[in-house]
Amino acid sequence: MRQDGGMTEIRTPRLILRRWTDDDLVPLSEINADPEVMRWIGDGSVRDLEQTAEDIERYEEEWDEEGFGIFAVELLASGELIGFAGLSLPEFLPEVMPDVEIGWRLGRPFWGQGYASEAAHAVLEFALQDRGLDRVIAITHISNQASENVIGKLGMTEERETAHPAFGVPLRVYAIDLTEYQA
């Protein structure tokens, strides 16, 4: 864990989780343009370059305002951006506020290799150990088995089922608190 001048970086055996740079816009927009990647996000719509730029700007604002946020995730070996993992305020689901949500999104070529779990473990440790959060939640579409697998590896337990207020899709909310994490 390294912090300097607003820069936060986490290294795992295969990944670097870091703040965003201008060079990340095009690779992230390519990930966001893949319908398979986006099928479990919101209403399943893909996001274009302009929307992705707005997303990155919002991620950086949350870092500045909250002291945590969404990390860009790159492969340690190549420096290639493979997606993101991090923390956010799930304002789209008011019933869980003020909880902090952990989330991740990886490009399809990087699925099934344990990268999401590796990044999510690092983010959860960052949340509970470094940022002093007492509790972290995860929200997933009920049919998203890949995310549920990662959530299970994090030791999170199901808290409730609900529906996305804007799109009506069924969601499952998981949680872990500091005492469960340390157990």
Side-chain angles (χ1 to χ4, degrees):
M1 176 74 57
R2 182 182 72 125
Q3 291 177 267
D4 50 35
M7 185 68 189
T8 300
E9 183 179 282
I10 301 171
R11 288 178 182 254
T12 70
R14 301 181 296 163
L15 305 171
I16 298 174
L17 285 67
R18 58 165 175 76
R19 297 283 294 267
W20 296 88
T21 70
D22 292 342
D23 293 338
D24 297 324
L25 176 57
V26 170
L28 184 61
S29 70
E30 290 168 356
I31 292 167
N32 286 345
D34 183 337
E36 271 304 297
V37 171
M38 299 303 290
R39 70 187 281 210
W40 305 117
I41 312 299
D43 66 353
S45 298
V46 297
R47 299 185 67 70
D48 64 20
L49 189 69
E50 184 178 322
Q51 291 168 315
T52 300
E54 291 168 3
D55 291 343
I56 291 173
E57 187 176 323
R58 195 174 62 253
Y59 303 155
E60 282 297 299
E61 285 173 3
E62 195 160 41
W63 273 107
D64 294 341
E65 292 169 12
E66 303 296 337
F68 58 75
I70 301 292
F71 290 99
V73 177
E74 70 177 47
L75 290 179
L76 186 59
S78 67
E80 181 179 7
L81 183 82
I82 66 168
F84 69 65
L87 302 167
S88 62
L89 297 174
E91 294 171 347
F92 73 93
L93 193 61
E95 69 189 73
V96 300
M97 293 297 290
D99 283 336
V100 175
E101 177 189 14
I102 187 171
W104 49 86
R105 182 181 309 157
L106 300 182
R108 222 184 322 171
F110 308 102
W111 292 0
Q113 300 174 58
Y115 293 132
S117 295
E118 187 173 324
H121 273 285
V123 169
L124 187 59
E125 182 176 340
F126 172 76
L128 298 173
Q129 304 291 329
D130 186 83
R131 294 299 142 151
L133 298 177
D134 294 327
R135 171 182 155 88
V136 175
I137 65 169
I139 304 165
T140 187
H141 189 289
I142 284 180
S143 302
N144 187 346
Q145 192 57 53
S147 277
E148 294 212 355
N149 291 343
V150 174
I151 290 165
K153 290 175 186 173
L154 294 176
M156 301 180 95
T157 54
E158 183 178 339
E159 199 163 78
R160 68 172 167 263
E161 291 185 4
T162 188
H164 193 296
F167 307 122
V169 295
L171 301 174
R172 198 169 277 140
V173 179
Y174 293 83
I176 190 167
D177 68 29
L178 188 55
T179 59
E180 293 166 324
Y181 177 74
Q182 291 174 330

